[in-house]
Amino acid sequence: MARMSPGPWWGFNGVNTLELRNGLFVHSFYVIFHGQVSRNYELRSVTIESRGVRERRGKRWSTLVLTTGGTRRTFTGRPNDSEPFIDALAEALSA
């Protein structure tokens, strides 16, 4: 599980939870007036477009760009939280 923000900036658009569960990629986020929402994607519909670590103003950030169900999504997170998840996702997708 990793906590990452949608988009190129950490925390600007809120913080989402990304998980791997039983062969599914789970993207959970909070929607005003609806509460917590989870979207499940089968791993075969998920593709990692790019991943990387960048440094800005002395802080390091992980970036993950992936396609889920035909939609391209960008997530940004702290490397110590998100890098283990990104590695696990890449391994699950290559299996």
Side-chain angles (χ1 to χ4, degrees), residues 20 43 48 51 82-94:
L20 287 174
L43 286 179
I48 295 178
R51 60 181 286 189
S82 58
E83 281 301 310
F85 172 78
I86 295 171
D87 290 340
L89 177 61
E91 185 178 320
L93 292 176
S94 67

Side-chain angles (χ1 to χ4, degrees), residues 7-83:
W9 303 285
W10 168 254
F12 184 75
N13 293 321
V15 177
N16 297 177
T17 302
L18 307 179
E19 296 180 77
L20 287 174
R21 281 193 226 152
N22 300 327
L24 296 174
F25 170 75
V26 181
H27 174 206
S28 300
F29 53 96
Y30 185 82
V31 177
I32 295 176
F33 304 120
H34 294 286
Q36 194 71 20
V37 176
S38 291
R39 293 194 176 140
N40 301 326
Y41 301 94
E42 291 184 20
L43 286 179
R44 67 175 182 239
S45 71
V46 177
T47 305
I48 295 178
E49 301 283 330
S50 67
R51 60 181 286 189
V53 178
R54 61 185 165 87
E55 190 167 329
R56 185 168 184 178
R57 297 184 184 159
K59 293 185 179 182
R60 297 180 66 221
W61 304 102
S62 291
T63 303
L64 172 66
V65 179
L66 50 83
T67 303
T68 55
T71 303
R72 185 176 176 176
R73 301 179 188 279
T74 301
F75 295 97
T76 301
R78 296 184 174 118
N80 60 343
D81 182 33
S82 58
E83 281 301 310

